Amino acid sequence: MSVKKIITRFAPSPTGFLHIGGARTALFNYYFAKSLNGEFHLRIEDTDKIRSTKEATNAIIEGLNWLEIKHDGEIVFQSANEEHHIKAAHKLLETQFAYKCYASTEELETLRTEALKTGKSFRSPYRNKKSEQNKPYTIRFRVPDGNTQIKDLVQGSINWDNTNFDDFVLLRADGTPTYMLAVVVDDHNMNITHVVRGDDHLINAGRQAMVYQALGWTIPTWAHLSLIHGPDGKKLSKRHGALSVQEYRDMGYLPSGLKNYLLKLGWAHGNDELFFDEQSITKVFSTKGVNSAPARLDFDKMDYINGQHIMRENDETLLTLLTTIIKSKNEYKLNDTLKKRLLDAMPSLKSRSKNLIDLADQAEYLLLSRPLHFTEKNKKSFHKNGALEHLSALTFKLKCLEEPEWNNDNIQQVIESYLEVKNIGFGRLGQPVRMALTGGRPSPDLSLVLYYLGKNETLLRLQNITDEYKDLIEE
């Protein structure tokens, strides 16, 4: 007996950016299919001709590409399937599962008001009338008596009394299909086996299950994911910060880091392990670990996970990404010498960075042009405690280190030996030296600063200070 291939889909509406909630839905679909050697498809639900835009479609595709979520086959555009939707509506009409509703806008408003007052679902007065009328009509689904039950991989077994469902519209008065019909027809025609989406669509599963049954089609397996909430437990909104995938990209998150974090929102594996790379996710992902409770954004955890991915990323890859950020700021002109300096320092830079913006900030001291510029406050480091004398003396000591001996351990030994001979604390030397070499920018241990700058650049920066401020009097 052959096992049916798992086929999932991500079906966004192109009315805006790729929301991180949508991105998480795409990821769950993608890894669920791939973990079972199935297929993952992309369908753009562009039947809302007023709100759907090409720009939004491009933004969604761009976001998915950046996250490295690769769909199988061609992109399906729902608007291209309108003929199939209309055909299905008329089949339901012919089999008495749907009917023509001639109610005007005013009539509908009155009928809905009455339904709300009585607490009953909407039933059109035309649902049992056979006569045709020469005026515009919608095609409505005739909700059957009884119950509708679904089994959901996340939410469990759910049962609705059909009296809770309105007779919903399948075709509008202008002949265009509604979402409720189009999604069923498209999922059937695309052979979708599992519908994985947000639980804001859970009630739609009840309606769509009735349409599947009426058409005599196999109902797919449902999996409705909890929505993402803000750290305060409220529905995610702009007040919580960035919402789109592109915003997180621009904030310096790696695709792998954001993917890892979004997958951990509402999904657990083993001992709640945090770090997953592409290979391990594909191997272990399953809907069994999906939690039905709403997931809360935790920006500290997001930063931590992204930092772990930066730590594990290839240094050359990070250099390429870092170079792009540096060039976009248009503050420093990169040459081969600076690129080598950045690459050599990458182990130190990435250990101190949560994202690529952090990485660029940590790298700035390596890019500064001589002579460095200092604020009035920073200049005070050179005014006191014999700072200039110590800078000058240390410069002489460092000159004695041969180029092959210029490494972290030897530099640290020179510094410690100087402190011991002069019988002074590290602060009296470390503060002015660090200021002279970094201009107050973020930097690692002092010996590493000297090491990554290189002997020549270190001595020239120190010499610049002793030359410029040699006439200063101690305050």
Side-chain angles (χ1 to χ4, degrees):
M1 181 178 176
S2 62
V3 178
K4 191 174 184 180
K5 178 182 280 189
I6 300 297
I7 303 177
T8 66
R9 51 61 165 181
F10 176 52
S13 298
T15 56
F17 51 74
L18 178 60
H19 190 280
I20 57 169
R24 186 184 67 149
T25 299
L27 287 165
F28 276 52
N29 274 282
Y30 177 79
Y31 284 110
F32 175 65
K34 295 307 174 185
S35 67
L36 297 170
N37 295 315
E39 293 180 5
F40 166 75
H41 293 270
L42 174 61
R43 182 173 75 231
I44 302 296
E45 298 197 331
D46 57 345
T47 51
D48 187 337
K49 296 174 182 177
I50 296 175
R51 297 178 62 218
S52 298
T53 67
K54 185 177 181 181
E55 291 74 20
T57 299
N58 291 338
I60 290 168
I61 294 171
E62 179 187 327
L64 292 173
N65 287 341
W66 180 74
L67 284 171
E68 299 168 349
I69 303 175
K70 299 173 182 176
H71 59 85
D72 294 298
E74 297 295 321
I75 299 175
V76 175
F77 288 88
Q78 193 169 69
S79 58
N81 299 333
E82 192 170 284
E83 184 179 333
H84 297 289
H85 307 150
I86 294 171
K87 183 178 179 181
H90 284 282
K91 180 181 177 182
L92 291 169
L93 198 60
E94 292 166 8
T95 53
Q96 304 296 305
F97 285 103
Y99 61 92
K100 294 178 180 179
C101 175
Y102 296 96
S104 65
T105 303
E106 292 75 18
E107 285 179 286
L108 287 173
E109 191 172 330
T110 301
L111 291 166
R112 288 190 182 283
T113 301
E114 291 176 1
L116 284 172
K117 285 180 180 179
T118 58
K120 295 180 179 179
S121 298
F122 174 81
R123 295 290 184 266
S124 170
Y126 296 93
R127 98 188 306 251
N128 296 317
K129 291 183 178 180
K130 304 290 185 181
S131 59
E132 297 279 332
Q133 298 188 26
N134 187 26
K135 63 179 184 178
Y137 62 88
T138 59
I139 294 181
R140 288 184 179 273
F141 185 77
R142 191 192 309 274
V143 173
D145 296 334
N147 295 331
T148 295
Q149 185 174 23
I150 68 166
K151 290 184 178 180
D152 190 281
L153 294 177
V154 178
Q155 307 294 334
S157 181
I158 301 169
N159 188 69
W160 291 280
D161 186 324
N162 287 355
T163 59
N164 293 315
F165 293 109
D166 291 339
D167 281 358
F168 50 90
V169 175
L170 299 173
L171 285 187
R172 302 180 183 91
D174 63 2
T176 59
T178 62
Y179 161 81
M180 208 59 63
L181 173 65
V183 70
V184 170
V185 175
D186 287 349
D187 282 345
H188 170 75
N189 289 346
M190 293 172 67
N191 298 313
I192 301 301
T193 62
H194 291 71
V195 173
V196 183
R197 58 189 179 184
D199 64 11
D200 52 333
H201 284 287
L202 185 58
I203 189 66
N204 288 337
R207 299 184 180 101
Q208 290 157 11
M210 289 187 281
V211 176
Y212 274 106
Q213 290 171 331
L215 289 166
W217 294 344
T218 302
I219 300 174
T221 301
W222 311 99
H224 287 87
L225 312 172
S226 64
L227 301 183
I228 300 176
H229 287 187
D232 57 2
K234 296 180 180 178
K235 187 177 178 181
L236 194 62
S237 66
K238 289 182 179 178
R239 72 175 180 275
H240 293 115
L243 295 179
S244 77
V245 167
Q246 284 87 340
E247 285 178 282
Y248 284 95
R249 176 197 63 193
D250 295 342
M251 288 161 62
Y253 288 88
L254 295 180
S256 60
L258 186 59
K259 278 197 295 188
N260 189 161
Y261 177 72
L262 290 178
L263 279 166
K264 291 299 296 175
L265 277 178
W267 174 72
H269 173 72
N271 295 322
D272 203 24
E273 185 179 351
L274 284 178
F275 179 84
F276 290 95
D277 58 19
E278 185 74 16
Q279 188 174 6
S280 61
I281 291 172
T282 303
K283 188 180 295 184
V284 303
F285 187 80
S286 162
T287 57
K288 291 180 181 178
V290 177
N291 195 321
S292 61
R296 291 193 185 193
L297 271 183
D298 183 333
F299 293 108
D300 290 336
K301 186 177 286 187
M302 184 187 292
D303 285 342
Y304 172 78
I305 290 176
N306 196 67
Q308 292 298 301
H309 280 264
I310 285 179
M311 278 290 294
R312 290 167 169 81
E313 186 57 85
N314 177 274
D315 288 351
E316 284 78 9
T317 299
L318 286 176
L319 178 61
T320 300
L321 296 169
L322 179 58
T323 298
T324 301
I325 292 175
I326 292 170
K327 286 181 177 179
S328 70
K329 292 184 176 182
N330 203 28
E331 293 179 16
Y332 303 104
K333 291 185 178 181
L334 291 175
N335 54 36
D336 290 343
T337 299
L338 289 179
K339 287 181 181 179
K340 183 180 185 306
R341 192 181 293 168
L342 290 171
L343 187 60
D344 290 344
M346 196 60 73
S348 167
L349 297 176
K350 64 184 185 180
S351 69
R352 296 159 55 86
S353 304
K354 301 186 296 290
N355 54 58
L356 296 175
I357 303 301
D358 277 354
L359 195 69
D361 291 341
Q362 295 293 334
E364 190 174 5
Y365 81 93
L366 297 164
L367 306 173
L368 300 172
S369 299
R370 288 178 273 105
L372 276 61
H373 298 286
F374 304 92
T375 64
E376 291 302 317
K377 181 180 179 180
N378 289 343
K379 288 178 182 178
K380 292 181 180 179
S381 298
F382 310 130
H383 289 209
K384 51 192 176 183
N385 298 325
L388 289 173
E389 289 83 353
H390 291 310
L391 285 179
S392 180
L394 181 66
T395 301
F396 177 77
K397 294 286 186 182
L398 292 169
K399 284 180 181 178
C400 297
L401 267 182
E402 297 295 333
E403 195 72 47
E405 298 174 338
W406 191 268
N407 58 53
N408 184 47
D409 291 339
N410 289 337
I411 293 168
Q412 183 64 29
Q413 188 175 350
V414 169
I415 292 173
E416 290 176 355
S417 176
Y418 182 85
L419 296 176
E420 185 178 349
V421 170
K422 295 294 183 179
N423 194 28
I424 59 173
F426 178 77
R428 289 184 62 182
L429 178 69
Q431 185 181 8
V433 172
R434 186 181 296 278
M435 185 60 66
L437 296 176
T438 70
R441 274 70 168 184
S443 55
D445 292 344
L446 186 59
S447 57
L448 286 174
V449 172
L450 276 71
Y451 172 56
Y452 291 132
L453 284 174
K455 180 177 180 180
N456 186 59
E457 182 66 20
T458 295
L459 296 178
L460 287 172
R461 289 190 186 189
L462 291 173
Q463 193 65 51
N464 281 161
I465 298 302
T466 55
D467 288 347
E468 185 172 351
Y469 296 100
K470 61 184 177 183
D471 294 332
L472 288 175
I473 302 173
E474 276 194 24
E475 293 183 350

